[in-house]
């Protein structure tokens, strides 16, 4: 492939080209794909206005490029390996030609069900092949998919379905997670009592549990797919037609529906997958994320398939039936590239090393991490026990908003420095901003991480709210994309991402905005006010600590704590439950009424050493009370 970067010289040359001849650089990569009509301009972007257009005028289809384009040479090669939750259940190997048929059938079915180009389709499915097939089928007909992680509650599902007025929901009867069965259809039914926009629900059968089907709304997928034709012409999409919406947390209660478009996203995810994982023909690649998150979109489905790769989809969890499950799967399929999250590494590192040593991991060539900063201990454990000190670790930094990986070591090119994401990929120019909002140009410095020039897969907007998009990412540092992360650059110019500098807390790799959780807590009738902060946790990275003031003193605190977590589970999902809750008679506030989270964070961490200047507080006496009442 013309965009392969496999040597230091290629990296240096590509990086230089990407800075000096931006248009030619991206055009060179884009030419590798099938376009039904070429572009008029490569890029037409304005950071100040948050306006991004790539490959304008061109027509393509990302599903055509992910599947049809490979049929001539790879029709019998496995595209997707499906490894079920239960190890004793038969795995499925889906070849490119079979995937093509499945996606064409689904595309025809969606059209027959009244889904047209531009319509939004919510996908609320477990990690089963129907999930990948639904995503690809939507893209094939030009419907905008909105995959909603199947761990979200009915309230969170309804909010997302309504925000982008989805016409259809694709779901399953239930899902398997370890030894649990989850009643997905029940959750959908409850959500849909609040979603008048949804006309039809398609139901995949996975757990074969008893469910209710609503007449003229709910349909089982299987019989309809059997009847559907396996011939389908991919719709010609404008490069800038929306491809999908994916929700992420922000600093207000409303989730942000990040919108990605077709052409730029295709070019960038394919380019980064190829280079970060140094994928070679016949390699077996495994990313353990869920397709409900951006990592799954870009690096389980689109990136690998655009490169004609074999990608593994795992339905289960790392701990079931025992903590050796990941390593067993690597051995079983002779996985070559393995990509997971630091929280999983930390959890598995706590288990007996026998769970690892039972398996042959010698097929591994490259191992990766994503989602949060990896601590040195976890990095060393991963390097020694999984990579056996011979596999480069790619610590990939990126975001839902960026669409693809922006900063990451490239295997056998970048130095291996524990906890460092090291180098930007060619095409990406990261900068660190100082306290005064200026670029810090020297090395050995820290600052807020911004990106100076647009790249093809930058999100185009927040669904229905361009103003919020502009304000969130492009006003703090005019002319730059602000990531919300802090970072360090060492003396050699290598980047280390230190973590969020805004009100997002990453718990077990999931981004959680404090505002929606506080909104949920405040719905409890006894609660007057609340503030959430993160505190360090051995496995989750961060856990949540809630400071809550009550309207009146309760008879015993215990039930209220349980009730608060119940509300959070219902409104958002179990991932957002608080580990600790402290009742207090007030929260530290500035004179303008802002909660001083800095102080709460220190108390939650158990660090009482230096609260800084608290004299500007409206109620400085509260600090002592909160300190003494720490739970
Ligand atoms: C964090 C996930 C340190 C970061 C792809 C970012 C990381 C947020 C890394 C985006 C990494 C992701 N090192 N931090 N390698 N990768 N992050 O939208 O704070 O779920 O802003 O996208 O995760 O999370 P999101």
């Amino acid at each position: 492939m013309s965009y392969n970067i496999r040597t230091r010289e290629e990296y240096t040359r590509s990086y230089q080209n990407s800075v000096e001849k931006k248009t030619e650089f991206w055009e060179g990569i884009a030419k590798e794909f099938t376009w039904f009509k070429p572009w008029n301009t490569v890029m037409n972007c304005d950071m100040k206005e948050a306006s991004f257009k790539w490959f304008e005028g061109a027509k393509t289809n990302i599903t055509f490029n992910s599947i049809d384009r490979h049929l001539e040479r790879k029709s019998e090669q496995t595209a997707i390996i499906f490894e079920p939750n239960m190890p004793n259940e038969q795995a499925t190997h889906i070849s490119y030609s079979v995937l093509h048929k499945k996606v064409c059938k689904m595309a025809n079915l969606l059209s027959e069900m009244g889904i047209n180009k531009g319509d939004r389709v919510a996908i609320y499915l477990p990690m089963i092949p129907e999930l990948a097939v639904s995503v690809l089928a939507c893209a094939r007909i030009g419907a905008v998919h909105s995959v909603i992680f199947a761990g979200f509650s009915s309230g969170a599902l309804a909010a997302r379905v309504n925000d982008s007025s989805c016409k259809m929901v694709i779901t399953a009867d239930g899902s398997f997670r370890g030894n649990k069965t989850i009643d997905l259809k029940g959750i959908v039914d409850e959500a849909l009592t609040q979603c008048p926009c949804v006309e039809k629900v398609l139901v995949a059968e996975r757990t074969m549990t008893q469910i209710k089907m609503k007449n003229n709304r709910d349909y089982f997928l299987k019989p309809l797919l059997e009847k559907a034709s396996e011939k389908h012409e991919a719709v010609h999409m404008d490069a800038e037609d929306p491809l999908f919406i994916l929700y992420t947390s922000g600093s207000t209660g409303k989730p942000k529906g990040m919108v990605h478009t077709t052409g730029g996203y295709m070019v960038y995810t394919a380019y980064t997958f190829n280079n970060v994982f140094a994928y070679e023909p016949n390699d077996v690649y495994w990313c353990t994320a869920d397709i409900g998150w951006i990592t799954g979109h870009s690096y389980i489905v689109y990136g690998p398939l655009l490169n004609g790769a074999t990608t593994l989809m795992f339905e289960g969890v790392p701990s079931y039936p025992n903590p050796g499950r990941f390593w067993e799967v690597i051995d079983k399929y002779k996985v070559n590239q393995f990509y997971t999250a630091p929280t999983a590494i930390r959890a598995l590192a706590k288990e007996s090393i026998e769970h690892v040593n039972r398996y042959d991991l010698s097929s591994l060539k490259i191992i990766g991490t994503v989602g949060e900063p990896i601590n040195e201990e976890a990095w060393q454990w991963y390097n020694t026990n999984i990579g056996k000190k011979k596999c480069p670790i790619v610590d990939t930094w990126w975001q839902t908003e960026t669409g693809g990986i922006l900063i990451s070591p490239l295997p056998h090119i970048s130095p291996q420095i524990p906890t460092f994401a090291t180098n930007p990929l060619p095409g990406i120019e990261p900068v660190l901003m100082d306290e005064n909002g200026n670029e810090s140009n020297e090395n050995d410095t820290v600052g807020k991480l911004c990106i100076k020039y647009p790249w093809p897969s930058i999100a185009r907007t927040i669904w229905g709210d361009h103003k919020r998009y502009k304000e969130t990412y492009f006003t703090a540092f005019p002319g730059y994309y602000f990531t919300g992360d802090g970072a360090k650059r060492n003396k050699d110019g290598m980047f280390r991402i230190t973590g969020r500098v805004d009100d997002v807390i990453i718990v077990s790799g999931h981004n959680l905005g404090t505002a929606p959780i506080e909104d949920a807590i405040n719905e409890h009738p006894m609660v007057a006010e609340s503030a959430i902060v993160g505190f360090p946790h051995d496995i989750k990275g961060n856990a949540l600590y809630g400071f809550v003031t009550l309207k009146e003193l309760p008879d015993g605190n215990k039930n209220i704590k349980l009730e608060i977590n119940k509300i959070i589970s219902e409104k958002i999902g179990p991932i957002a439950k608080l580990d600790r809750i402290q009742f207090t008679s007030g929260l530290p506030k500035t004179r303008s009424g802002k909660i001083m989270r800095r102080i709460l964070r220190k108390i939650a961490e158990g660090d009482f050493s230096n609260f800084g200047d608290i004299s500007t507080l409206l109620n400085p006496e509260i600090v002592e009370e909160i300190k003494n009442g720490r739970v």
Side-chain angles (χ1 to χ4, degrees):
M1 218 102 52
S2 74
Y3 55 80
N4 282 10
I5 301 169
R6 296 289 187 272
T7 63
R8 177 146 276 283
E9 293 67 43
E10 281 168 351
Y11 173 77
T12 313
R13 191 169 0 102
S14 300
Y15 198 88
Q16 204 163 354
N17 276 343
S18 79
V19 173
E20 290 165 6
K21 303 181 205 147
K22 292 190 168 53
T23 310
E24 287 99 289
F25 175 77
W26 291 115
E27 196 160 38
I29 300 172
K31 280 189 175 143
E32 288 286 327
F33 301 89
T34 302
W35 301 82
F36 306 126
K37 183 171 169 267
W39 47 87
N40 304 323
T41 48
V42 172
M43 55 198 288
N44 177 8
C45 301
D46 181 345
M47 279 274 204
K48 289 216 168 73
E49 286 308 310
S51 162
F52 306 103
K53 300 206 166 70
W54 285 84
F55 311 112
E56 255 184 318
K59 295 223 182 253
T60 188
N61 184 290
I62 193 169
T63 297
F64 183 94
N65 275 285
S66 301
I67 307 175
D68 308 40
R69 191 166 55 102
H70 309 306
L71 288 180
E72 208 176 301
R73 288 187 302 120
K74 299 192 168 181
S75 71
E76 296 319 308
Q77 186 200 304
T78 301
I80 298 176
I81 301 172
F82 169 63
E83 170 68 18
N85 178 57
M86 283 74 81
N88 54 0
E89 188 184 332
Q90 181 80 40
T92 322
H93 291 247
I94 305 173
S95 67
Y96 272 90
S97 72
V98 170
L99 181 63
H100 181 250
K101 288 187 186 127
K102 283 181 184 286
V103 170
C104 286
K105 277 174 170 278
M106 184 67 123
N108 283 318
L109 174 59
L110 293 177
S111 301
E112 282 162 31
M113 286 275 177
I115 301 298
N116 298 311
K117 184 175 171 207
D119 286 343
R120 275 79 60 208
V121 173
I123 303 177
Y124 186 72
L125 279 169
M127 282 286 284
I128 56 177
E130 286 85 343
L131 173 49
V133 169
S134 301
V135 161
L136 292 159
C138 283
R140 193 169 183 92
I141 65 167
V144 181
H145 55 77
S146 170
V147 183
I148 299 161
F149 174 59
F152 275 121
S153 69
S154 60
L157 171 61
R160 286 159 178 75
V161 165
N162 284 333
D163 183 74
S164 49
S165 41
C166 295
K167 252 171 104 173
M168 174 185 270
V169 178
I170 307 178
T171 188
D173 48 0
S175 68
F176 294 125
R177 269 187 82 73
N179 53 15
K180 281 193 258 173
T181 306
I182 296 154
D183 173 21
L184 279 194
K185 180 62 167 52
I187 298 172
V188 170
D189 289 340
E190 200 181 316
L192 293 195
T193 59
Q194 307 164 51
C195 303
C197 49
V198 174
E199 294 166 12
K200 299 238 170 3
V201 177
L202 296 180
V203 184
E205 286 159 286
R206 176 62 183 132
T207 51
M208 295 299 171
T209 37
Q210 197 78 47
I211 54 169
K212 288 203 193 92
M213 295 292 277
K214 193 170 165 188
N215 253 348
N216 298 323
R217 187 195 73 181
D218 301 352
Y219 302 85
F220 283 112
L221 257 177
K222 202 167 158 222
L224 298 177
L225 284 176
E226 274 166 10
K227 277 190 282 173
S229 157
E230 55 184 48
K231 291 211 167 18
H232 184 273
E233 281 282 316
V235 169
H236 291 197
M237 302 284 289
D238 280 343
E240 281 300 334
D241 275 337
L243 171 64
F244 66 84
I245 302 171
L246 186 60
Y247 286 87
T248 185
S249 303
S251 54
T252 72
K254 206 168 172 311
K256 296 180 286 193
M258 305 311 308
V259 177
H260 283 282
T261 56
T262 306
Y265 177 83
M266 173 173 86
V267 169
Y268 196 77
T269 51
Y271 154 71
T272 48
F273 172 79
N274 180 308
N275 290 312
V276 172
F277 300 102
Y279 188 87
E280 298 298 335
N282 303 318
D283 281 350
V284 175
Y285 161 88
W286 181 21
C287 164
T288 70
D290 191 291
I291 295 176
W293 309 115
I294 191 68
T295 305
H297 281 59
S298 303
Y299 300 111
I300 295 178
V301 182
Y302 288 119
L305 297 180
L306 284 163
N307 282 284
T310 299
T311 175
L312 196 150
M313 253 183 100
F314 176 50
E315 183 188 30
V317 294
S319 54
Y320 176 81
N322 61 61
R325 186 70 166 120
F326 274 4
W327 323 127
E328 177 199 352
V329 174
I330 292 175
D331 187 353
K332 179 171 173 190
Y333 297 104
K334 306 295 170 219
V335 168
N336 303 109
Q337 292 90 358
F338 177 69
Y339 190 28
T340 194
T343 186
I345 298 170
R346 286 191 297 263
L348 296 174
K350 290 228 171 328
E351 303 292 341
S352 156
I353 197 69
E354 280 314 302
H355 288 296
V356 178
N357 292 343
R358 271 210 303 276
Y359 299 103
D360 174 11
L361 305 183
S362 62
S363 56
L364 288 174
K365 297 196 280 192
I366 287 151
I367 55 179
T369 76
V370 60
E372 58 185 307
I374 183 166
N375 49 310
E376 167 125 24
E377 201 184 342
W379 193 99
Q380 297 292 5
W381 185 88
Y382 198 35
N383 184 37
T384 309
N385 297 295
I386 306 306
K388 316 287 184 196
K389 296 194 174 161
K390 70 174 180 60
C391 301
I393 296 184
V394 289
D395 175 356
T396 64
W397 173 84
W398 59 296
Q399 310 178 295
T400 305
E401 295 85 338
T402 69
I405 297 165
L406 301 194
I407 306 182
S408 170
L410 291 182
H412 307 295
I413 294 177
S414 316
Q416 287 283 297
I417 318 172
T419 79
F420 275 70
T422 69
N423 300 122
L425 265 63
I428 304 302
E429 291 175 57
V431 293
L432 295 181
M433 294 298 189
D434 67 17
E435 298 283 294
N436 305 318
N438 299 320
E439 277 185 38
S440 318
N441 291 318
E442 324 77 62
N443 283 341
D444 202 5
T445 186
V446 294
K448 290 184 175 166
L449 180 64
C450 288
I451 313 291
K452 200 166 172 169
Y453 291 102
W455 62 99
S457 65
I458 185 171
R460 300 303 193 257
T461 192
I462 292 175
W463 182 264
D465 199 349
H466 195 68
K467 187 162 161 269
R468 184 177 180 198
Y469 180 58
K470 211 169 129 181
E471 277 167 6
T472 310
Y473 303 102
F474 302 93
T475 48
F477 305 98
Y480 297 83
Y481 167 78
F482 174 45
T483 63
D485 281 327
K488 171 191 166 121
R489 191 169 49 218
N490 76 5
K491 58 179 187 359
D492 305 315
M494 301 291 153
F495 286 89
R496 173 188 176 167
I497 315 303
T498 44
R500 303 290 312 185
V501 293
D502 58 7
D503 288 341
V504 173
I505 304 169
I506 305 189
V507 178
S508 300
H510 301 306
N511 292 7
L512 299 173
T514 52
I517 303 174
E518 289 162 6
D519 289 352
I521 299 173
N522 298 349
E523 288 199 14
H524 190 288
M526 294 275 287
V527 170
E529 209 180 12
S530 61
I532 303 295
V533 297
F535 69 98
H537 185 281
D538 272 3
I539 291 173
K540 301 181 188 181
N542 297 294
L544 299 178
Y545 193 120
F547 297 89
V548 177
T549 60
L550 298 174
K551 290 179 185 154
E552 57 194 88
L553 277 185
D555 314 341
N557 295 344
K558 250 198 151 125
N559 290 343
I560 300 187
K561 291 188 179 176
L562 286 178
E563 284 162 19
I564 286 176
N565 267 333
K566 190 157 168 270
I567 297 180
I568 296 174
S569 280
E570 283 164 9
K571 297 271 161 197
I572 301 164
I575 49 178
K577 284 205 280 195
L578 309 184
D579 270 40
R580 292 188 192 160
I581 300 178
Q582 176 179 350
F583 294 121
T584 151
S585 69
L587 297 170
K589 291 198 181 158
T590 63
R591 285 173 204 278
S592 59
K594 254 185 109 180
I595 297 170
M596 271 256 210
R597 285 170 199 276
R598 174 171 65 76
I599 293 174
L600 296 177
R601 240 174 256 133
K602 289 203 103 179
I603 295 176
E605 284 166 14
D607 171 8
F608 300 159
S609 58
N610 178 11
F611 290 123
D613 183 10
I614 59 169
S615 65
T616 57
L617 287 180
L618 200 62
N619 51 349
E621 70 288 347
I622 200 72
V623 176
E624 199 58 27
E625 181 200 314
I626 300 182
K627 215 172 88 179
N628 295 333
R630 181 173 178 269
V631 290

